[in-house]
Amino acid sequence: MAQSSSNNGGTDQVLVEERASVRTIILNRPKQLNALSFPMISRLLELFHASEGDSNVKMIILKGNGRAFCAGGDVTAVVHNVRQGNWKLGADYFREEFTLNYLMATYSKPQVSILNGIVMGGGLGASVHGRFRVATEKSVCAMPETALGLFPDVGASYFYSRLPGFFGEYAGLTGARFDGAEMLACGLATHFVPSERLPFLEQALGKVNTSDPDVISTIISRFSNIPKLKAESPYHKMKIIDRCFSRRTIEEIISSLENEALNKKDDWISSTIQSLKKASPTSLKISLRSIREGRLQSVGSCLVREYRMVCHVLRGEFSKDFFEGCRALLIDKDKNPKWEPSRLELIRDDDVDRYFSKIDDEDWEDLKLPPRSNLPPYAIAKL
C-alpha cells in the first residue's frame, strides 16, 4: 500500500493511501479535530477531480485521523480574514467548500465516508453528499450553526430537508447532536459498523475492483448491524417534532412547543425550547426558510442559494451575529453571545428576503458549479 501526502504550507493536512483500485483520503489535522482549512478543501477538490478521471480508481474512502472525522469548516480563520476588512476572502473559502460539496453529491464513483468520531457542520457536507456513510458507536454529529449566528450550509438545506418528516427542521434549528444509531435511523448514515470491525471493513473494501454501489453496499453490510436507539432519543419524539416543526414560522414552532410543555413535563421539550431561545434570531429565521426552500430544489440550487446567504452573512449589513457567535463560542469562549437584532419580532420578512437575493456588488457573482456528465442514477436523482 503506497502512501503520499499533500504538502500544505509545510503540514500534511490531507494524506492519501493507494490500495489496488481504492484511494483512501485521510483528513489529518487531529489537534483541530480535522477542521477543514482552505488548503485542505483545495487539495480535496484536486484529489476528487483526479480520482474521477483515473480509470484505475474505482472507489474513494474518506476518513479522519484521531477522534474526529471532521469538526467542520475552519471558521475562526474565515472570521479572522473578514475582520481584516475583506469579506471576499471568506466568500472564497465557502465557494471552494460548496464546490467540493457539489462534486461529492454528483460523484461518478462511490465515496465511502467512515464517520468514526465527531462529525460537525462542514464534516457533514464532506460526507452526507457521498454514496455511503458509515457511522459507529463513537459517532456524534450536529450542525450547530444557529448557535454561531450562521445557518446549516454545505448543502444541508438539501439533505436536512430530505430527512423523515420535519426532523431536518428540528436538527437544523436546534443544532441537536445525534449518535451513530440516530444517524442511521434518520438516514444521515447508510450503515452502522462497530468501530472494532472497521479495520476488517477497510481490508475488504481494499480488494474491491468495481464501482458498482450494490457490490460495495453488500460488503459494508457484512460488517454492519442495526443498533438500538437509546430510550431518550429524539427520534422517538417524531410525533411532537412533526407537530411543532411543521409550523410556518419560528414563532409558531416555539409557541407549539410551549403548548406541548404545558400538557406534559418533558425534559426534551424544555431543552429544545431553550436551544431555540439561545440561538441567533436572524439565524433561525433564515435557516427555516432555507430548509423549506431546499425541499423543492436540486442539490445545485441549494448550494447556489446557500452561497448567496453566506455572502450576506459575511458582509454583515443586516446582522453581525456570525462574528459575535464565533467570538462567544470559539474565540473568547464566554458562551454569552449578544445577538442583534435580539428578538424574533424585530426581524421583518423583507429582512429575511435580503439574505436570498443577489449581492449588490459589481465584482460579485453567483456560485458557478462545474458541469457534470456520465453520472450514475443516484447522482442524477439529486439534480
Side-chain angles (χ1 to χ4, degrees):
M1 178 168 59
Q3 185 177 81
S4 60
S5 63
S6 64
N7 194 320
N8 294 322
T11 60
D12 299 325
Q13 296 186 354
V14 178
L15 305 176
V16 183
E17 291 177 356
E18 308 282 358
R19 184 187 291 173
S21 303
V22 178
R23 182 166 284 167
T24 299
I25 301 173
I26 304 162
L27 306 178
N28 189 40
R29 287 181 84 203
K31 286 183 181 166
Q32 292 82 18
L33 301 177
N34 300 323
L36 294 170
S37 64
F38 198 109
M40 285 172 85
I41 292 170
S42 300
R43 179 64 175 145
L44 287 167
L45 265 172
E46 191 183 296
L47 285 166
F48 269 78
H49 277 303
S51 301
E52 193 163 46
D54 185 341
S55 59
N56 294 317
V57 178
K58 305 292 185 192
M59 176 178 66
I60 288 194
I61 295 175
L62 184 64
K63 61 182 189 174
N65 210 347
R67 65 190 185 93
F69 168 74
C70 171
D74 192 352
V75 291
T76 44
V78 172
V79 167
H80 176 75
N81 283 334
V82 178
R83 277 189 168 158
Q84 302 299 308
N86 191 352
W87 70 271
K88 286 179 182 167
L89 281 176
D92 289 345
Y93 174 90
F94 286 103
R95 188 178 62 241
E96 285 276 285
E97 186 179 25
F98 292 6
T99 303
L100 175 65
N101 300 146
Y102 184 68
L103 182 59
M104 289 174 164
T106 57
Y107 209 58
S108 62
K109 298 176 182 181
Q111 173 189 340
V112 179
S113 300
I114 297 178
L115 309 177
N116 188 34
I118 297 163
V119 193
M120 300 276 175
L124 280 164
S127 56
V128 175
H129 291 299
R131 185 67 179 85
F132 299 109
R133 291 89 63 189
V134 178
T136 75
E137 78 286 353
K138 294 179 181 174
S139 301
V140 54
C141 89
M143 292 208 78
E145 279 78 1
T146 59
L148 270 180
L150 194 56
F151 59 91
D153 60 341
V154 296
S157 62
Y158 179 82
F159 59 77
Y160 263 8
S161 64
R162 281 155 180 79
L163 298 186
F166 291 86
F167 200 71
E169 277 88 341
Y170 161 67
L173 295 172
T174 64
R177 292 184 171 213
F178 307 121
D179 62 21
E182 290 162 335
M183 290 171 73
L184 181 70
C186 75
L188 289 171
T190 58
H191 297 79
F192 181 98
V193 175
S195 59
E196 75 265 13
R197 291 189 204 160
L198 290 178
F200 306 108
L201 169 63
E202 287 186 59
Q203 205 173 9
L205 289 173
K207 295 171 184 162
V208 165
N209 190 26
T210 177
S211 293
D212 184 337
D214 292 336
V215 172
I216 293 162
S217 184
T218 301
I219 292 169
I220 304 172
S221 295
R222 288 213 313 261
F223 299 89
S224 303
N225 61 30
I226 307 290
K228 202 169 173 351
L229 286 168
K230 57 183 187 260
E232 67 277 17
S233 170
Y235 207 70
H236 294 311
K237 311 278 187 186
M238 282 300 291
K239 279 188 178 165
I240 298 179
I241 286 172
D242 285 351
R243 222 170 18 244
C244 299
F245 284 86
S246 58
R247 300 302 174 105
R248 196 178 59 84
T249 66
I250 294 291
E251 291 91 337
E252 288 170 14
I253 289 171
I254 293 173
S255 168
S256 62
L257 282 163
E258 287 172 338
N259 285 337
E260 296 280 345
L262 293 175
N263 297 331
K264 60 173 150 184
K265 186 172 175 357
D266 184 323
D267 291 343
W268 174 82
I269 296 176
S270 332
S271 69
T272 300
I273 293 167
Q274 279 310 109
S275 297
L276 292 169
K277 289 189 170 177
K278 275 187 189 166
S280 153
T282 302
S283 289
L284 289 174
K285 292 235 171 183
I286 65 174
S287 298
L288 179 60
R289 175 158 160 192
S290 178
I291 293 169
R292 292 278 157 89
E293 289 197 2
R295 284 176 173 265
L296 302 173
Q297 291 178 331
S298 67
V299 68
S301 300
C302 285
L303 286 161
V304 168
R305 171 175 41 69
E306 289 175 14
Y307 181 68
R308 284 187 184 184
M309 293 170 69
V310 86
C311 287
H312 281 287
V313 167
L314 294 172
R315 279 164 67 92
E317 290 173 318
F318 174 70
S319 168
K320 294 184 170 48
D321 279 0
F322 176 49
F323 305 100
E324 174 59 9
C326 287
R327 180 206 64 73
L329 273 73
L330 304 176
I331 299 167
D332 299 341
K333 299 186 179 175
D334 59 39
K335 296 187 177 171
N336 188 26
K338 300 280 186 282
W339 305 126
E340 189 58 48
S342 59
R343 299 197 312 280
L344 290 164
E345 61 267 27
L346 299 174
I347 303 161
R348 303 182 315 248
D349 287 348
D350 55 348
D351 297 324
V352 176
D353 290 344
R354 182 187 306 186
Y355 283 86
F356 294 77
S357 64
K358 290 190 173 188
I359 301 291
D360 186 15
D361 182 318
E362 60 185 24
D363 295 329
W364 180 89
E365 57 180 18
D366 266 326
L367 179 65
K368 297 275 189 292
L369 294 168
R372 308 291 291 134
S373 58
N374 302 322
L375 301 181
Y378 62 80
I380 292 169
K382 300 175 187 178
L383 305 177

